[in-house]
Amino acid sequence: MKSVNIQDIAREAGVGKATVSRVINGKGYVSRETAAKVKAVMERYHYQPSALARSLSRQESDAIGLIIPEANNPFFSGLLTGVSEVMDKCGYTLILRTSGNDIQRDFKALEAMRYQRVKGLIYVPACNYEDEREFAQMASRLADLGGPYVVLDRPVTKLECDCVLSDNFSGAYSATEALIQAGHREIGVIAGNMQLLIGRERLEGYRKAMEQNGLAAREEYMLTGIFGQQEAYRRTKALLSSPTRPTAFFIANNRSEIGFLNAMRDLGLSIPQDAAFVGFDELPGQLVFGLPYSSLDREVTLLGAKAAQLLIRRFDEPARSPQRLIIVPRLSLRGSERYFEKEA
Amino acid sequence: MKSVNIQDIAREAGVGKATVSRVINGKGYVSRETAAKVKAVMERYHYQPSALARSLSRQESDAIGLIIPEANNPFFSGLLTGVSEVMDKCGYTLILRTSGNDIQRDFKALEAMRYQRVKGLIYVPACNYEDEREFAQMASRLADLGGPYVVLDRPVTKLECDCVLSDNFSGAYSATEALIQAGHREIGVIAGNMQLLIGRERLEGYRKAMEQNGLAAREEYMLTGIFGQQEAYRRTKALLSSPTRPTAFFIANNRSEIGFLNAMRDLGLSIPQDAAFVGFDELPGQLVFGLPYSSLDREVTLLGAKAAQLLIRRFDEPARSPQRLIIVPRLSLRGSERYFEKEA
DNA sequence: CGATATTCTAGAACCGTTTTCATATGGGAG
DNA sequence: CTCCCATATGAAAACGGTTCTAGAATATCG
């Protein structure tokens, strides 16, 4: 890591380190000629100051941390993209860690961020930390950071802080209602991880919509606690093969959607004639061009960007009251929700 | 960023800073009792050393950089995942930057990595740097890094260094050949960015396979320079609508595949009866469960992990001759390549 | 022309670690 | 009992910047 340092530049330019520092940062008094001379030397030696030394000296780094559960999921990589773009633009350095939805790794990630003395953190927690003990451990690490943080996507109820969230309940509600209004009466739901608040909120939105429209949410039509695409595939296939089945589904997440689509295909069923659906989040390939599937769309990149902006703004106004941005997903009906009378 | 430092711990424990340092790093002589005492104090104060100060003092950081074109693309987020996992496991900190395939941003990213004094870099260049002048600028920044780097996915010919690449030519060749062996004679290709070497290699693999099997690669069946899904959609749709069209396609990338599929759907055509295909890289949703489309599969996460391992190994053996890992994509035929006689 | 403000510069202290060096202690070998 | 080695510790010097302080040079003004 040995490279030319500020001392070398100062010596070569025949000035003091302080002067070089002033030239670099463009503040304080430096004469035109001195500045030019120093700049020439810096240029010649490809000099670049060390963020390490600078941060140490200034007692403030320009690194910001981002913790997400996984990078391989289009939703999270969308968030990442949004965050990354804003940070690049604003001259911050992004330090990334993934938790794999694992609490211990989540703790490790928080510790790593502290170790690196990040100026701020954007945090998609591994879970909602509803367990008292785990929450305390997490909160302690978060506090130790010593800097501001923004919680993204997964709310942690007991935490009073900036956050950017989605309105999962109303999203699920409106999706379900759309199916009802299309004419469906027998509506199933494919819901994800019930450990996660967002999972329960989405299920609750479905339930409420059914109830308020006087429809029964039949237990056997509710596939909950679905982890991943494969499980969604199996459970959906089983349900679709049974003698009575829903005419439509609200599918609460991306991966389940793919599982569902595979199941439909393998059973030779078509959408929406044999089973209609509305999904949560667009499918990956849909982003640019759009398959004609109906879904609750979130501008994922924007979510990440908002979180980044919130954090940066917080740097300037540490005392501002905590902000809660709650984005309502937009329902886009593209046809897959339509109702077809059953042929007798 | 004010927090308890090594001095505070030393004072509180009634020892010198040097002793605390020795306890932290577990090297040098420290008596059992002293160590226990110091550890207790560190615990009590939630002390965590500063990576900043440590790196500065050691003249070696534990941060490694990763530059990728974009995070939102499943291929790159796969690489990212592989890299990230290895780095987490080995105790390195990951600094991420994206270039958006833009040379200027690529330069900025390289400079940022140097600024942060990363110990090493994993680099997916924004392009192949075939232009002499641009290459020189890039190489200079790379050299200024002062540390080892691994070039990933996109070869830079003039660079003698560790790299992890794919054998695009042979992949494309075998995919095309599979179509030929299935019985196809009229085979089209949907190829991506011809500015990129990997794009040209894939086209070349297709060409060569056609040629060696005595088939003509007709110009009008070669859709090249396709940027993104939308363009793939339009051009494919146009070709598929024309009176004569290929019976099969080799589709050289992910996004084009989606464009193709959309075009097929919108024209009411089915796979593989109306047009067969083999694609390069699995489709996003395919990763876990697998739609029955044939493709050249790369274990993307593994590519990233390999690059990370190569870099880490290089830390220990700076003098080892440059390694070139070239992964041959595995051809998986799942049915979408099959040939159906045209009905007269 | 002297007083005073403004511009410019260098020296020194500091940020939080690691590492070298010197010193002190205790135990075993001779 | 002396000498030497292994163990244990703290003081001090880096690392590469920033910033404070103070002094010198120059400009401004009465």
Side-chain angles (χ1 to χ4, degrees):
Chain A
M1 230 176 62
K2 190 66 212 158
S3 62
V4 46
N5 62 19
I6 200 171
Q7 187 68 269
D8 301 330
I9 300 300
R11 191 181 326 107
E12 199 67 19
V15 300
K17 312 196 294 178
T19 302
V20 178
S21 177
R22 266 172 259 139
V23 171
I24 294 170
N25 299 294
K27 53 178 158 189
Y29 293 115
V30 179
S31 71
R32 285 222 165 288
E33 312 91 70
T34 312
K37 189 171 53 180
V38 170
K39 272 181 190 149
V41 176
M42 293 199 300
E43 192 93 355
R44 182 144 47 88
Y45 284 83
H46 288 197
Y47 170 72
Q48 180 152 46
S50 155
L52 262 32
R54 198 208 284 265
S55 301
L56 181 61
S57 176
R58 285 218 187 119
Q59 286 290 79
E60 161 162 301
S61 92
D62 57 1
I64 77 104
L66 173 64
I67 301 177
I68 54 178
E70 36 172 343
N72 234 344
N73 179 315
F75 176 69
F76 295 121
S77 72
L79 295 182
L80 166 57
T81 299
V83 171
S84 160
E85 234 133 66
V86 172
M87 291 306 164
D88 275 16
K89 207 155 292 173
C90 299
Y92 291 99
T93 298
L94 189 65
I95 295 182
L96 178 72
R97 278 291 282 224
T98 53
S99 68
N101 288 308
D102 177 280
I103 292 188
Q104 292 309 317
R105 283 181 61 191
D106 212 34
F107 289 171
K108 287 265 179 258
L110 288 168
E111 285 161 16
M113 294 305 171
R114 159 115 137 98
Y115 176 55
Q116 296 293 335
R117 297 298 190 268
V118 293
K119 183 173 183 186
L121 175 69
I122 296 177
Y123 181 37
V124 182
C127 69
N128 300 101
Y129 288 104
E130 294 171 305
D131 176 276
E132 193 62 54
R133 208 179 139 65
E134 286 168 353
F135 170 77
Q137 293 184 58
M138 187 278 285
S140 159
R141 284 168 174 79
L142 215 39
D144 283 344
L145 270 182
Y149 46 86
V150 175
V151 165
L152 180 54
D153 187 52
R154 297 181 179 175
V156 177
T157 325
K158 280 163 281 189
L159 227 43
E160 271 287 325
C161 65
D162 290 332
C163 50
V164 176
L165 308 171
S166 300
D167 191 338
N168 294 290
F169 176 85
S170 83
Y173 189 97
S174 63
T176 309
E177 202 166 44
L179 289 169
I180 296 170
Q181 279 175 3
H184 296 280
R185 291 296 166 265
E186 306 284 308
I187 302 172
V189 62
I190 308 176
N193 190 343
M194 289 297 109
Q195 307 289 99
L196 284 178
L197 196 53
I198 60 173
R200 296 200 299 273
E201 285 171 349
R202 291 178 192 180
L203 182 61
E204 209 41 55
Y206 157 85
R207 266 218 183 88
K208 201 78 179 179
M210 293 295 278
E211 188 187 304
Q212 297 218 332
N213 284 276
L215 297 176
R218 294 170 55 171
E219 277 304 323
E220 64 271 33
Y221 289 175
M222 293 169 45
L223 309 181
T224 64
I226 304 274
F227 283 85
Q229 182 174 328
Q230 252 186 89
E231 195 177 347
Y233 174 84
R234 280 201 315 275
R235 303 259 317 261
T236 315
K237 201 168 176 182
L239 176 53
L240 287 171
S241 312
S242 75
T244 67
R245 64 178 193 218
T247 63
F249 287 90
F250 165 56
I251 305 176
N253 65 67
N254 230 310
R255 303 212 158 155
S256 295
E257 250 172 292
I258 297 176
F260 168 81
L261 292 176
N262 285 345
M264 288 292 284
R265 182 203 59 221
D266 287 357
L267 291 171
L269 301 176
S270 38
I271 298 164
Q273 289 78 358
D274 298 311
F277 84 97
V278 175
F280 208 110
D281 283 335
E282 298 171 288
L283 287 170
Q286 206 162 0
L287 290 166
V288 185
F289 197 75
L291 294 160
Y293 294 145
S294 304
S295 55
L296 292 160
D297 300 340
R298 297 185 282 184
E299 292 183 78
V300 184
T301 307
L302 192 64
L303 285 184
K306 286 275 185 210
Q309 285 157 356
L310 214 53
L311 183 61
I312 291 174
R313 171 126 188 236
R314 172 67 60 196
F315 291 150
D316 296 328
E317 303 172 63
R320 202 164 69 124
S321 68
Q323 304 285 306
R324 290 174 71 84
L325 251 59
I326 300 186
I327 278 86
V328 178
R330 190 171 40 82
L331 180 63
S332 297
L333 297 179
R334 304 189 181 90
S336 72
E337 80 289 356
R338 274 186 300 170
Y339 178 65
F340 285 76
E341 289 287 341
K342 255 186 200 154
E343 296 167 20
Chain B
M1 227 176 63
K2 190 65 211 158
S3 64
V4 48
N5 63 17
I6 200 172
Q7 186 67 270
D8 301 329
I9 300 300
R11 192 183 324 108
E12 199 66 20
V15 300
K17 313 194 294 180
T19 302
V20 178
S21 178
R22 271 176 297 235
V23 172
I24 295 169
N25 298 294
K27 53 177 156 188
Y29 293 115
V30 179
S31 72
R32 284 225 164 287
E33 311 92 69
T34 312
K37 189 170 55 181
V38 170
K39 272 182 190 147
V41 177
M42 293 199 300
E43 192 92 356
R44 181 145 47 87
Y45 283 85
H46 289 196
Y47 170 73
Q48 180 152 44
S50 156
L52 261 32
R54 197 206 285 263
S55 302
L56 181 61
S57 178
R58 285 217 188 120
Q59 286 290 76
E60 161 164 302
S61 93
D62 56 2
I64 77 105
L66 173 64
I67 300 178
I68 54 178
E70 37 173 343
N72 235 345
N73 179 315
F75 176 70
F76 296 122
S77 72
L79 295 182
L80 165 57
T81 300
V83 171
S84 160
E85 234 134 64
V86 173
M87 291 306 163
D88 274 17
K89 208 155 291 171
C90 299
Y92 291 99
T93 299
L94 188 66
I95 294 183
L96 177 73
R97 257 328 256 224
T98 53
S99 68
N101 288 307
D102 177 280
I103 292 187
Q104 291 310 318
R105 283 180 61 191
D106 213 34
F107 289 171
K108 287 265 179 257
L110 288 169
E111 285 161 17
M113 294 305 172
R114 158 116 137 98
Y115 176 55
Q116 296 292 333
R117 298 296 190 268
V118 293
K119 184 174 183 184
L121 175 69
I122 296 177
Y123 182 37
V124 182
C127 69
N128 300 102
Y129 288 105
E130 293 172 306
D131 176 276
E132 193 62 53
R133 207 179 140 66
E134 286 168 353
F135 170 77
Q137 293 184 58
M138 186 277 286
S140 159
R141 283 167 175 79
L142 216 39
D144 283 344
L145 270 182
Y149 46 86
V150 175
V151 166
L152 180 54
D153 186 51
R154 297 180 177 175
V156 177
T157 324
K158 280 163 282 189
L159 228 42
E160 271 286 326
C161 64
D162 291 334
C163 51
V164 176
L165 308 172
S166 300
D167 191 337
N168 294 291
F169 176 85
S170 84
Y173 188 97
S174 63
T176 308
E177 201 166 45
L179 289 168
I180 296 170
Q181 279 175 4
H184 296 280
R185 291 294 167 264
E186 306 282 310
I187 302 171
V189 63
I190 308 177
N193 190 345
M194 289 298 109
Q195 307 288 100
L196 286 178
L197 196 54
I198 60 173
R200 297 199 299 272
E201 285 172 349
R202 292 178 192 180
L203 182 61
E204 209 40 54
Y206 157 83
R207 266 219 183 85
K208 201 79 179 175
M210 293 294 278
E211 187 186 305
Q212 298 219 331
N213 284 276
L215 296 175
R218 296 170 52 170
E219 278 303 324
E220 64 270 34
Y221 288 175
M222 293 169 43
L223 310 181
T224 65
I226 304 273
F227 283 85
Q229 183 173 330
Q230 255 187 82
E231 195 176 346
Y233 175 83
R234 280 201 314 274
R235 306 257 319 258
T236 315
K237 201 168 176 183
L239 176 54
L240 287 171
S241 312
S242 77
T244 67
R245 64 179 192 217
T247 63
F249 288 90
F250 164 56
I251 305 177
N253 65 67
N254 230 311
R255 302 211 161 156
S256 296
E257 249 171 292
I258 297 175
F260 168 82
L261 292 176
N262 286 346
M264 288 291 284
R265 183 202 60 219
D266 287 357
L267 291 171
L269 300 177
S270 38
I271 298 164
Q273 290 79 356
D274 298 312
F277 84 98
V278 175
F280 208 112
D281 282 336
E282 298 171 288
L283 287 170
Q286 207 164 359
L287 290 167
V288 185
F289 198 76
L291 294 160
Y293 295 145
S294 303
S295 55
L296 293 160
D297 300 340
R298 297 186 281 184
E299 291 184 78
V300 184
T301 307
L302 191 65
L303 284 184
K306 286 278 186 208
Q309 285 157 357
L310 213 54
L311 183 62
I312 290 174
R313 172 127 188 236
R314 173 66 60 196
F315 291 149
D316 296 327
E317 303 173 62
R320 201 163 71 124
S321 68
Q323 304 285 307
R324 291 175 70 84
L325 252 61
I326 300 185
I327 278 86
V328 179
R330 191 170 39 82
L331 181 63
S332 297
L333 297 178
R334 305 188 181 93
S336 71
E337 80 289 355
R338 275 184 300 169
Y339 177 65
F340 285 76
E341 288 287 342
K342 257 188 199 154
E343 297 167 19

